[in-house]
Amino acid sequence: MSEHTEASVSEQRRDLPSRIVIPPIRGEMVHLRPATMEDLPKLDELEAYHGANRITGKDENAERAVVHAWVRRSVAWTQGQAPSESGVGDPESRRTMAWAVLTDADHDADHVTDAASTGNVIGMIFLIDIDGWSRSARIQVILGKDYRGRGYSRDAMPRVMTYGFAPEPAGLGMHRIWVAVPEQNSRSVSVYQSLGFVPSGTSRDALWDPTTGKYQDLIVMDTLFDEYDPIRSLDAFGMHVFEDNPGIQEALSAREHSIAIQQRQREQEDAAGEGATDATASDADVRDDATATRDRVERHTEPTRENAHRMTPDEARERLGLPPKNVSGTSGGTHATRESADEESNWPYGQSERKTSKDAWWRTLGRGRKRE
C-alpha cells in the first residue's frame, strides 16, 4: 500500500459519519431524547434564556439564535444532510448533537412530575463543535430558570460525556471535551471541576458584562479521554450507573482493565520487594558463613606473631591455657554487654534497635503521603 493510500485511509477514518442516530440516555432524575424543532418554543416558556449574559456571556437574543441553530444542525445530521444543506452548517463541517432534557422528578411534592406544561422538558444539552479530525467537542447545558441549581446538570453531563468518549460505534470516539464559561459564573466552574474538567486557558476580556459595565474573561476548561472516569464522576454525586446507557459497557471494561493493570503493578512491586529482602538475607547468610569459617580457621591456626596481634585478651588467655578473667560487677569494673543491657532495659525496642530522633514517629507523620 502506498503512502498516499495510507494517508487517505487515515483521513477517512477520522471523518464523522454522514448520518447520526442520537441515542436516548437515562439518568437519575432526568432522561434525554433527541431534541426536535418542536421543543424550541418550550425553552421560551421555561425562560431558559433568562440571565444568559451571566451563564454563557451572551445576551438573551443571541443565546436564543445560537440554540435554534444548534437544534437545526442536530436534526439535519440525523436526517443525513450535509452541513451545507442544513442552512446553518459550520464552515469547518463541525457537527452538533442536541438532546432534550426531561425531568422524572417531583420537587414540589404535588404528585405530578415537574414541568408538565412543557411535556416534562426542562432544558437541553448539546455536544457542539464536534470535530472529527481533532476528535474534540464542546458540551453545554441550558435549563429553565426554575430548574437550575437542582443537580440536573450533574446528572446529565457525565452520561453525555460517557457517550462522547466511548469508542465507535458505541459512542463518538472523542479525545477531548471542553467547556467555555464566563469567569463570573463560579457555580458552573465548580460543577465542571467536580466532573473532572481542568482550566486549560483564558480568553482575556472576551465577554462584555452589561451588569457591571466591564469586560470579563472567558475560562476554557477541558478533560481528555484518558483522564475522564465516568464511573467515578457518577459515584461522586451518588448517581447510579445504568449499564444500558450508550458507552457505559465500554467504560466499565476500561475501568476493569485499569484496575487490573494497577493490581499487576502492585504485585510486581511486592515481588520485587520480597526479592530484595531475600537477596539481603542471602547476603547476610553468606557473610555469617564466611565469618564462621574464618573463626574456625583462626582457632586451628598455630599461634604466630602476626595472628597474635589479632587476638582478643580472652583468646590469648585461652591459647595459653589460663582460666578466663573474672568479670567484676562493681561500678568500676567492665561495662555490661549489649545483650545484658537489652535484658535489663524496659525500653520497648532493643538497645541496638532504638530509633534516632530523625525517625521518631512525630517526625515521620505524613512522610510519603501522596500530595494532591
Side-chain angles (χ1 to χ4, degrees), residues 36 193 210 280 285:
T36 65
Q193 287 177 331
T280 303
D285 293 340

Short mmCIF file of all heavy atoms in Angstrom, two decimals, residues 36 193 210 280 285:
data_model
loop_
_atom_site.label_atom_id
_atom_site.label_comp_id
_atom_site.label_asym_id
_atom_site.label_seq_id
_atom_site.Cartn_x
_atom_site.Cartn_y
_atom_site.Cartn_z
N THR A 36 -35.97 18.20 19.13
CA THR A 36 -36.66 18.49 17.88
C THR A 36 -36.94 19.99 17.79
O THR A 36 -36.84 20.72 18.78
CB THR A 36 -37.98 17.71 17.78
OG1 THR A 36 -38.87 18.17 18.81
CG2 THR A 36 -37.73 16.21 17.96
N GLN A 193 -15.51 21.46 37.45
CA GLN A 193 -14.36 20.90 38.17
C GLN A 193 -14.72 19.57 38.83
O GLN A 193 -13.91 18.64 38.85
CB GLN A 193 -13.86 21.90 39.21
CG GLN A 193 -13.13 23.09 38.62
CD GLN A 193 -12.71 24.10 39.66
OE1 GLN A 193 -13.35 24.23 40.71
NE2 GLN A 193 -11.63 24.81 39.41
N PRO A 210 -22.94 43.44 30.83
CA PRO A 210 -23.73 44.68 30.93
C PRO A 210 -24.09 45.04 32.36
O PRO A 210 -24.39 46.21 32.64
CB PRO A 210 -24.98 44.36 30.10
CG PRO A 210 -25.11 42.87 30.16
CD PRO A 210 -23.71 42.35 30.22
N THR A 280 18.93 -9.78 50.42
CA THR A 280 19.63 -9.24 51.58
C THR A 280 19.88 -10.33 52.62
O THR A 280 20.97 -10.43 53.20
CB THR A 280 18.80 -8.10 52.20
OG1 THR A 280 18.57 -7.10 51.22
CG2 THR A 280 19.52 -7.50 53.40
N ASP A 285 23.50 -14.34 55.15
CA ASP A 285 23.90 -15.72 55.43
C ASP A 285 25.30 -16.01 54.92
O ASP A 285 26.10 -16.69 55.58
CB ASP A 285 22.90 -16.68 54.78
CG ASP A 285 21.52 -16.60 55.44
OD1 ASP A 285 21.47 -16.10 56.60
OD2 ASP A 285 20.53 -17.01 54.81
#
